[in-house]
Amino acid sequence: MDSDAAAADAATDTAAALDRLQISDDANTDDAAESPAASSTLVCKPDASTPIILCDAFYGFPTQKRPRNERVRAVSRQLTNFLQWRSEASEKNCNNIHSHVHVLGKGKDIESVKTRVDELGTQTKASTEQIIFDADIEIRQFLDKQKGTSSTQESQEEVVYLSPDASYTLPTTCRPPRIVIVGMLIDRRITEDRSRRRAEESLNIRAAKLPLDELRVKELSSCEPLNVDTVMELMQRWWWNCDRVEERYQQINGSGNAKGDNTEKYGLLYKKCFIEAAAYAMKSQRDRHPNRTVHKTE
């Protein structure tokens, strides 16, 4: 297999998905920083290929004052959790390429969330400059603009709306889509099928669920509705891990196309990129919410 035995089997499938998510691994808590294929310095990508997390805040905000304020605080806290984690991770590896994060929604909602995120940012390590608040810009309008500014034509496969209720599951044997949309649904009670309907019926965008079954954890399936901050962290880690695999490949093979002759090996490495990303993102979720790591049980 090589590539340093696929980086020691990506730390043995990330310590067997952190021992099937009873977790621990305190000695190497954040970032297994150099894993799936032992990174060196990453070369910065052109802007057109930088991943994007689109936060869809166009639905889910109540109109009554008190419930609306609760929703604003909850959304802001989830965004801040992600920014704080990413700031801390970047202190350990300043060469990580950050995804662009855009929050789209109605003007009043976006302004309230931005104000609260700025307030929380002064209390944490969260860098609020790393998030863009786009008031009254529709999801489709944003995606059309991306097509116009990108040097590479955005294919339909490069955009997905993440939903635990989707029929389609993202594959693990290749790099994930460049643009992922995350619904800002933060509810005490789970309303099934909301994000899928929003994606496929309202926006005509493919819905996809995360391949969490790959972790082989008994109570965690691909239908699990993860917290917003956990989803964002998982996607950022997944892209980072794929960057390292691809950079390692370029170092070994130069600009040649030897990858085509090693499809199985690189498919396995990409799979390990996801497993590590998901395991450590679930560890973060456990740290933040020790009594409720999993929301949905059979």
Side-chain angles (χ1 to χ4, degrees):
M1 180 186 293
D2 211 38
S3 216
D4 295 340
D9 255 346
T12 315
D13 279 350
T14 309
L18 297 185
D19 201 17
R20 297 292 158 239
L21 284 171
Q22 294 301 313
I23 305 201
S24 189
D25 191 45
D26 294 326
N28 200 9
T29 130
D30 213 333
D31 281 75
E34 303 299 326
S35 183
S39 168
S40 59
T41 302
L42 292 174
V43 179
C44 194
K45 297 180 177 180
D47 191 69
S49 65
T50 302
I52 296 173
I53 299 175
L54 277 187
C55 301
D56 179 10
F58 271 107
Y59 69 136
F61 281 80
T63 54
Q64 299 98 329
K65 185 175 181 181
R66 183 174 176 180
R68 182 179 178 278
N69 288 341
E70 288 179 355
R71 178 58 55 82
V72 167
R73 287 195 294 270
V75 168
S76 302
R77 171 51 66 185
Q78 298 278 304
L79 293 172
T80 303
N81 286 345
F82 169 71
L83 292 173
Q84 182 174 9
W85 164 77
R86 194 165 70 170
S87 293
E88 292 169 352
S90 295
E91 289 176 2
K92 299 179 181 181
N93 190 342
C94 62
N95 293 307
N96 284 335
I97 299 166
H98 288 182
S99 59
H100 293 168
V101 179
H102 293 256
V103 183
L104 279 62
K106 296 177 182 177
K108 186 178 179 182
D109 296 333
I110 291 297
E111 186 58 38
S112 297
V113 170
K114 182 180 185 304
T115 299
R116 183 59 181 155
V117 169
D118 285 337
E119 290 170 356
L120 291 171
T122 62
Q123 305 165 20
T124 66
K125 292 183 178 180
S127 175
T128 54
E129 294 178 357
Q130 296 176 12
I131 193 164
I132 301 167
F133 295 90
D134 293 314
D136 296 319
I137 297 179
E138 297 286 343
I139 301 290
R140 274 288 171 197
Q141 182 183 354
F142 180 93
L143 294 175
D144 289 343
K145 186 177 179 182
Q146 282 295 305
K147 289 179 184 177
T149 58
S150 176
S151 59
T152 58
Q153 190 72 10
E154 210 69 70
S155 69
Q156 203 170 15
E157 287 70 31
E158 284 297 289
V159 181
V160 295
Y161 198 118
L162 294 180
S163 169
D165 301 304
S167 58
Y168 172 72
T169 304
L170 288 176
T172 59
T173 53
C174 59
R175 188 180 183 88
R178 186 177 83 88
I179 301 176
V180 298
I181 306 170
V182 181
M184 296 291 100
L185 286 173
I186 303 172
D187 296 314
R188 290 189 178 92
R189 294 181 182 178
I190 297 167
T191 304
E192 293 188 0
D193 221 28
R194 247 177 120 185
S195 52
R196 186 202 62 79
R197 291 199 310 268
R198 166 70 172 159
E200 296 180 344
E201 297 174 14
S202 299
L203 298 171
N204 194 29
I205 293 172
R206 182 175 59 168
K209 57 190 171 189
L210 294 165
L212 298 173
D213 287 333
E214 295 289 352
L215 292 175
R216 294 187 292 118
V217 174
K218 185 177 180 181
E219 293 184 346
L220 183 69
S221 76
S222 296
C223 295
E224 171 66 19
L226 301 179
N227 288 0
V228 167
D229 51 3
T230 305
V231 172
M232 295 174 74
E233 178 181 335
L234 190 159
M235 289 306 309
Q236 181 65 88
R237 285 181 180 275
W238 195 359
W239 283 316
W240 279 346
N241 288 346
C242 290
D243 286 344
R244 293 182 181 118
V245 163
E246 289 161 7
E247 180 178 2
R248 181 76 164 174
Y249 160 77
Q250 288 180 349
Q251 288 178 342
I252 294 171
N253 298 296
S255 58
N257 194 27
K259 202 180 209 177
D261 301 326
N262 295 281
T263 303
E264 185 177 351
K265 180 180 77 173
Y266 281 99
L268 185 59
L269 276 172
Y270 275 125
K271 180 177 179 179
K272 292 176 189 302
C273 287
F274 172 78
I275 290 174
E276 182 190 280
Y280 279 102
M282 291 304 298
K283 180 183 187 305
S284 294
Q285 178 155 311
R286 171 72 60 85
D287 291 343
R288 294 187 194 112
H289 311 283
N291 298 322
R292 201 181 185 195
T293 304
V294 175
H295 296 82
K296 190 174 182 179
T297 56
E298 300 299 333

